[in-house]
Amino acid sequence: MLGRGEIAIVGAAETTQLGAIPGMSQIMLHADAALNAMAETGLKPKDIDGVACVGPMMPQQIAHYLGITPKWVDGTGVGGCSFMLHVRHAAAAIHAGYANTILITHGESGKSRINATPRPAEPEGLNGQFEMPYGPFGPPTLFPIPVLRYMKKYGVTHEDLATVAVVQREWAGKNPRAMFRDPITVDDVLNSRMIAYPFRILQCCLVTDGGGALILTTAERAKDFPTKPVYILGTGESVESNMVSQMEDFTSSRAFRVAGPTAIDAAGIDRKDVDHMMIYDAFAHLPMYGLEDLGFVKPGEAKDFIREGNTRPGGKLPLNTTGGGLSYTHTGMYGMFALQESVRQMRGTAPAQVPGAKVSVCHGVGGMFSASGTVVFSNERP
C-alpha cells in the first residue's frame, strides 16, 4: 500500500502565458508547461520515464513531441479532474516500480481554439438520447439543473451563490496572473448577463488558453532537487452517472462523497488540520457542494460558512486562492490549475500565500458531477 508522503511533487509549472495565446497550438501549450517544469528541476526529457495527459492529446503524442521514452503511460480522461486521477495513478506507479520520474501535462486552447478538437454532439450516446431532446447540452445548461433543487432544499439564495464569485474575486485581486482582478459586489454579479438560470455570467467560469505540468518522484529522490518537495499524503477518485439527470441526489455528489473522504482518510488527517483548499469551480455552486460533501461543513451549511467570511483572505479555511475558474483561468479542464496552486501554497510561493500553510486539499470535478478526484498535499513529510 502506498505510504503517506512516499511520493512527492518536485516540478510544477504553468504555461509561460495564460489567457489568449493564439500563437500556440495545444501540443505547444503542453510542451511549454512541461519544459518550464523540467527547467526548475534540472531534468531533461531523457530523465522522464512516465507520461500522463488527457485527450485530445494522447501520451504517445506528448512523449514523441518532447523526446521522452516512457516505461509507463496514462491517458485517463474523465473530464476536468483527470489530472487529480493522474497524480493518484502516477504515485501508485512509482510505488510499484513501474517508473521513477513521471510527467503529467495539460495544454488547452480553450479560447483561441488553435488545432482544438471540436466537441460534437453525440446523439447516439446516453446524453444524446435522454437529455439533449429536452434542450440542455453542455456545462452552462446542464450544471445548473441540480443547483435548483439544492437551493430549494437548503434555502440557498441568489445572493448566496453570488457571494462565492465575490469572495473568489477578492483572491484574484491578489494574483497578478488572474484574468479578472477588479473587485465585484453581489449586486454586480446579480446584474450581470443571464446565461442559464440561475447562473449569470459572473457565476460561470472563464474560457482561456493555457496549461500546466507536474513532475513526480519518490520522496527520497525529491531531496536531491533544487525545488521544495511537496508530499502526497492521500488521494481518492470516483465516478457517478455521466448524465446529470441520473445523479443519485441533486443536492450532493456521490463521486465527491467517495473521492474526498477517501483521500482525507488515506492522508490520516482531520479536517481541522487543513490550512488551504482548492475546489474546482466551473460554476459558483461547486465550492458549496465540495465543502459539504467532503465533510468540512454539514449539508446546507456551506452558504453560511462562505457568507461569514471563512473562505476569504484571512478566513479560517482559505479557498480557491488564485481566484479559481471564475476569475483566474479556465481552459475547459481546470483541474491542473487547482493542483498548481496547492503546490505553490505548500512551497510558500503563491501570490496570495496563506501564512504557515502545511496541508492543502485539492478537489476536482469532471463532467457534470460525473467524476471526481482529490489529492491531499503537505510540505512536511510524515
Side-chain angles (χ1 to χ4, degrees), residues 38-60:
M38 284 190 275
E40 70 169 14
T41 60
L43 291 169
K44 304 296 182 185
K46 64 180 177 61
D47 302 315
I48 306 293
D49 60 358
V51 173
C53 66
V54 62
M57 290 294 119
M58 296 183 288
Q60 54 265 50

Side-chain angles (χ1 to χ4, degrees), residues 13-339:
E14 294 174 346
T15 45
T16 307
Q17 296 176 273
L18 290 175
I21 317 173
M24 298 185 78
S25 66
Q26 297 203 130
I27 199 167
M28 292 170 71
L29 294 169
H30 277 264
D32 181 36
L35 293 172
N36 286 342
M38 284 190 275
E40 70 169 14
T41 60
L43 291 169
K44 304 296 182 185
K46 64 180 177 61
D47 302 315
I48 306 293
D49 60 358
V51 173
C53 66
V54 62
M57 290 294 119
M58 296 183 288
Q60 54 265 50
Q61 294 172 295
I62 301 302
H64 171 75
Y65 197 72
L66 292 172
I68 294 170
T69 303
K71 297 188 295 185
W72 176 90
V73 297
D74 184 7
T76 300
V78 292
C81 67
S82 298
F83 315 101
M84 284 77 172
L85 275 65
H86 292 165
V87 169
R88 188 179 206 226
H89 300 173
I94 294 170
H95 170 75
Y98 296 149
N100 294 312
T101 311
I102 293 178
L103 171 70
I104 303 170
T105 67
H106 170 54
E108 197 169 13
S109 186
K111 182 177 181 65
S112 300
R113 309 301 295 166
I114 306 302
N115 90 305
T117 303
R119 297 173 183 172
E122 297 180 0
E124 73 282 3
L126 292 175
N127 304 74
Q129 293 180 67
F130 300 110
E131 290 186 338
M132 283 181 62
Y134 297 95
F137 179 76
T141 51
L142 286 167
F143 251 137
I145 292 173
V147 78
L148 296 174
R149 171 60 59 181
Y150 177 78
M151 293 174 73
K152 182 176 181 179
K153 181 174 180 178
Y154 293 122
V156 176
T157 66
H158 292 280
E159 288 77 11
D160 291 330
L161 288 172
T163 300
V164 175
V166 171
V167 171
Q168 293 193 189
R169 185 63 66 87
E170 291 182 28
W171 286 112
K174 299 175 177 292
N175 188 348
R177 274 168 66 92
M179 301 298 104
F180 291 161
R181 300 182 62 201
D182 292 339
I184 55 175
T185 66
V186 168
D187 284 343
D188 290 332
V189 177
L190 297 181
N191 289 325
S192 64
R193 177 164 55 94
M194 179 65 73
I195 299 300
Y197 189 84
F199 289 128
R200 298 177 180 275
I201 196 166
L202 291 179
Q203 295 164 304
C204 303
C205 65
L206 306 169
V207 180
T208 63
D209 305 330
L214 298 169
I215 299 174
L216 288 71
T217 191
T218 64
E220 292 302 316
R221 288 190 64 219
K223 295 181 292 187
D224 299 328
F225 287 87
T227 52
K228 182 176 182 177
V230 175
Y231 303 100
I232 298 169
L233 297 188
T235 60
E237 64 185 285
S238 189
V239 297
E240 198 179 341
S241 170
N242 68 333
M243 292 190 292
V244 70
S245 62
Q246 301 306 303
M247 287 179 67
E248 185 176 88
D249 180 353
F250 272 179
T251 67
S252 173
S253 165
R254 191 184 74 197
F256 282 22
R257 297 196 310 272
V258 174
T262 296
I264 292 168
D265 291 347
I269 61 170
D270 292 324
R271 284 153 182 82
K272 62 180 175 57
D273 297 326
V274 177
D275 305 303
H276 170 260
M277 197 168 186
M278 297 297 291
I279 299 178
Y280 196 122
D281 61 317
F283 294 86
H285 62 316
L286 291 174
M288 292 182 170
Y289 279 70
L291 286 168
E292 294 175 7
D293 287 343
L294 270 63
F296 286 86
V297 297
K298 295 178 181 178
E301 292 184 355
K303 64 182 188 305
D304 305 310
F305 188 78
I306 293 172
R307 188 176 59 247
E308 291 165 3
N310 292 298
T311 62
R312 278 192 159 99
K316 67 180 182 182
L317 184 57
L319 173 67
N320 292 346
T321 49
T322 57
L326 299 181
S327 290
Y328 177 59
T329 199
H330 195 298
T331 59
M333 291 182 286
Y334 169 75
M336 174 60 77
F337 301 102
L339 290 164

